[in-house]
Amino acid sequence: MPEVPVDAADAADLVVVGTGAAGFSAAITAARAGLDVLMLEKRPELGGTTARSGTWIWVPNHRLMREAGIDDPRDAALRYMARLNRPDRYEPDHSTLGLPPEEHAMLAAFYDHAAEALDELVDAGAIDPVMLDRAPDYFAELPENAAPYGRVIVSRGRERPDQLTGRELVDDLAATARRLGVRIETGCAVRDVVRDGDGTVRGVVTAGGRRIAARRGVVFATGGFTHAEDLLRDFVTVPVRHGGAAPGSEGDFVRIGQRLGARLHNMSAAWLAPVPIEPLVADPTAFTTNIFALRGDSMILVDRTGRRVTNEKLAYNELASVFLRWDPATAEYPNLRLFMVFDDATARLFADGKSGNPLPLPGVPAPHVVTGETIDELAERLAERLETAVPEVAGGIRLDPAFGPTLAATIDAYGDDADVGVDRAFGRGASPIELFRNGPPRPGNDRNPAMFRFSPVGPYHAIVLAPATLDTKGGPAIDIHGRVLSADGSVIPGLYAAGNCAGFPSAQAYWAGGATVGLAITFGHLAARHAAAS
Ligand SMILES: Cc1cc2nc3c(=O)[nH]c(=O)nc-3n(C[C@H](O)[C@H](O)[C@H](O)COP(=O)(O)OP(=O)(O)OC[C@H]3O[C@@H](n4cnc5c(N)ncnc54)[C@H](O)[C@@H]3O)c2cc1C
């Protein structure tokens, strides 16, 4: 760790490393507090995974909720998060809800400051907020959830009054930061920090050897480690080897934190969502969006035997965990590849070309979709595809010889359930998020909008799906001010982290769409506020 003085001529009050949601929240807050801010981004483009996102931001008890009279009490919100984070420890009447006090304090800090972090971005002109009041939390039905609707915010633009894309959101954040005097440099990877004799972080060292002084501190906001194979091997025991995160998510801050003796936290967890594996393998550099909903009613997800394994409409983080089920009897991951099977009408009715929906639009080439005129032919083509594709596509999974007949029987049984609107096996279509993501029912389906009998006439289609991350969420642990902690629990002075590079105690939980960006802006904001006050 370099301990020699940095070049004071190359300096800022606050150095922010990374230009996603967490970085911009820190930079904008700090600039509005009067600090001179320098942002460093290792990629040529700004925005990281934030620029790929659906731009949902989950913020408990925000201003628009309060103005609309939606009550989001603190106790219930903390219970909801605690219940999902640590169901094994959760005690609703305990003073810290059964959580270790420091974890409870982190959830409380999030609840207490998320709305303020959002207001900072709104007041700065970076976000024009709209409340998605029809978007339910992912466990809206839990008794702990006192405000199941209203916490999701998106930003709108003049030409796009519904909501911006991730790239547009990043453009707005960057324009706001620049207007406030923030300097932004791209193509500048930070490789290390500089500490003085008492261990306080005083600056950074870039890959090019520049030593930049940071008078008030350094905020790391460098994303997760989806694209660091060695870190995935070291820390993530389940075989999730792919992800939709931007290429900059290489775990740089995990490595820097390890050298600093930081306490690493939540390293084995990730924000999960399945992905269509073939496009990702065909071009790993292109952006293949993770799946946010298996849309469609005449659609099922089956395993290599041709049987359904889950409620296909689960929220994506939970759905991805089904792929990672370990079978102790056979000592393997039998669901590592699952097959989304649907009929032609489903593709026509539910494809929308939007990010997160893998159904092919009519007339648009979709080489990842396998098609057969009959179920038997579909089974043959799918088996062929798995055998002839590069090994990464199949992930070691081969179809059972009886896949075709079993799939036909599964589709028949599914049709019987769809006819009465009740999924006896998995309860599909029962929770608010399932119905919200499914979209409106097809005309004539007045039973269960998420289910419909398959057409007796082909063609039928299948897509090979794999488990994937949106990004990981473990890293050096932080406290309620975003300060990075050493292995002994003490604070590393001058060093802050926020977003996916920081270890926040959310465990495997995904409370709602927007939870990751909500956390990122909140702890970016808190870090900047603390640095400004120091
Ligand atoms: C398809 C998709 C849709 C999503 N939709 C949503 C959504 O709607 N709502 C939601 O909450 N979450 C969503 N997510 C997840 C969300 O996008 C991320 O969790 C979030 O944007 C991460 O923000 P961040 O600031 O932590 O990191 P990032 O946005 O990843 O930014 C990190 C930046 O740091 C840079 N960097 C890394 N190392 C260095 C270094 N050493 N030096 C300098 N720069 C460095 C990277 O290049 C990158 O630009 C989605 C993810 C995907 C893949």
Side-chain angles (χ1 to χ4, degrees):
M1 199 61 49
E3 287 194 5
V4 292
V6 287
D7 176 3
D10 202 358
D13 292 332
L14 192 70
V15 172
V16 176
V17 189
T19 58
F24 277 117
S25 176
I28 289 170
T29 300
R32 280 165 55 86
L35 299 195
D36 167 39
V37 183
L38 173 64
M39 295 185 86
L40 302 174
E41 167 57 55
K42 75 174 173 184
R43 300 278 307 168
E45 70 285 352
L46 300 179
T49 306
T50 305
R52 296 179 163 199
S53 78
T55 72
W56 285 27
I57 312 175
W58 194 69
V59 177
N61 197 29
H62 58 74
R63 197 190 322 177
L64 296 183
M65 286 177 92
R66 295 195 300 271
E67 285 169 7
I70 301 172
D71 201 20
D72 188 0
R74 187 175 192 265
D75 287 358
L78 295 184
R79 282 201 182 93
Y80 175 66
M81 291 185 273
R83 152 73 182 81
L84 290 174
N85 290 5
R86 306 254 184 237
D88 53 321
R89 301 186 64 130
Y90 174 61
E91 288 179 46
D93 299 322
H94 185 266
S95 59
T96 63
L97 304 174
L99 302 181
E102 66 278 12
E103 291 198 4
H104 183 265
M106 291 298 282
L107 293 183
F110 174 55
Y111 177 91
D112 292 341
H113 298 285
E116 167 192 306
L118 177 67
D119 282 347
E120 182 91 47
L121 295 173
V122 172
D123 295 346
I127 283 185
D128 185 2
V130 189
M131 175 169 64
L132 290 190
D133 51 8
R134 287 181 45 254
D137 289 350
Y138 289 166
F139 292 89
E141 65 283 6
L142 277 185
E144 283 82 3
N145 199 341
Y149 295 85
R151 290 165 172 154
V152 178
I153 286 284
V154 293
S155 189
R156 73 188 138 200
R158 211 174 315 123
E159 268 109 56
R160 203 188 289 276
D162 52 349
Q163 77 176 81
L164 302 179
T165 63
R167 174 56 59 204
E168 291 163 342
L169 176 66
V170 167
D171 288 348
D172 283 1
L173 290 165
T176 304
R178 287 195 171 107
R179 203 171 54 242
L180 291 165
V182 173
R183 291 170 286 145
I184 306 176
E185 290 189 31
T186 54
C188 187
V190 168
R191 285 283 165 262
D192 218 333
V193 296
V194 181
R195 304 179 86 178
D196 66 13
D198 70 6
T200 301
V201 170
R202 297 288 184 197
V204 297
V205 184
T206 70
R210 252 171 86 194
R211 309 164 85 74
I212 303 170
R215 290 181 284 264
R216 300 289 187 94
V218 176
V219 180
F220 276 83
T222 46
F225 56 90
T226 284
H227 300 297
E229 218 194 313
D230 59 332
L231 296 179
L232 288 177
R233 267 200 319 273
D234 283 352
F235 293 107
V236 181
T237 50
V238 290
V240 58
R241 299 286 170 256
H242 303 92
S249 288
E250 296 172 304
D252 294 2
F253 190 52
V254 174
R255 299 177 208 283
I256 292 171
Q258 282 175 317
R259 289 200 293 276
L260 282 168
R263 173 182 163 222
L264 298 181
H265 184 64
N266 216 17
M267 294 297 286
S268 63
W271 309 108
L272 297 171
V275 77
I277 188 69
E278 285 186 88
L280 195 69
V281 169
D283 185 356
T285 59
F287 169 39
T288 302
T289 173
N290 298 71
I291 292 171
F292 294 120
L294 296 187
R295 293 195 67 198
D297 47 13
S298 302
M299 180 281 302
I300 54 175
L301 188 65
V302 297
D303 68 1
R304 63 189 177 188
T305 71
R307 294 184 180 85
R308 291 177 70 208
V309 290
T310 189
N311 172 358
E312 293 83 353
K313 302 290 178 182
L314 290 177
Y316 43 86
N317 184 64
E318 321 313 319
L319 185 64
S321 72
V322 173
F323 289 68
L324 298 169
R325 184 179 73 79
W326 170 252
D327 183 345
T330 57
E332 59 183 350
Y333 293 96
N335 295 344
L336 212 48
R337 296 293 178 269
L338 293 173
F339 310 100
M340 178 187 185
V341 177
F342 50 97
D343 68 8
D344 219 41
T346 288
R348 271 184 280 110
L349 290 166
F350 291 91
D352 57 10
K354 287 193 180 157
S355 168
N357 177 3
L359 291 171
L361 278 173
V364 176
H368 64 290
V369 178
V370 181
T371 297
E373 287 305 317
T374 62
I375 294 294
D376 271 352
E377 190 181 290
L378 180 71
E380 270 170 42
R381 295 255 168 92
L382 190 55
E384 250 168 55
R385 181 71 65 96
L386 293 177
E387 273 153 33
T388 54
V390 294
E392 219 179 328
V393 166
I397 298 289
R398 289 280 174 273
L399 294 190
D400 189 270
F403 178 85
T406 308
L407 176 60
T410 301
I411 287 174
D412 276 350
Y414 172 79
D416 293 345
D417 279 5
D419 287 347
V420 293
V422 178
D423 176 14
R424 281 167 301 184
F426 300 108
R428 169 166 156 173
S431 74
I433 188 62
E434 295 176 46
L435 298 176
F436 175 78
R437 292 269 196 215
N438 192 59
R442 75 165 78 192
N445 182 4
D446 55 4
R447 294 171 302 275
N448 180 339
M451 299 181 74
F452 202 78
R453 183 179 277 282
F454 275 60
S455 163
V457 182
Y460 303 101
H461 311 281
I463 301 175
V464 185
L465 303 186
T469 66
L470 297 169
D471 205 352
T472 58
K473 50 159 127 170
I478 53 171
D479 73 0
I480 58 170
H481 304 294
R483 295 180 297 183
V484 175
L485 302 175
S486 303
D488 66 6
S490 63
V491 165
I492 301 178
L495 186 63
Y496 301 86
N500 288 340
C501 73
F504 181 89
S506 58
Q508 83 307 322
Y510 209 127
W511 312 309
T516 91
V517 172
L519 280 173
I521 64 164
T522 303
F523 283 88
H525 170 77
L526 286 170
R529 258 187 32 179
H530 189 273
S534 66

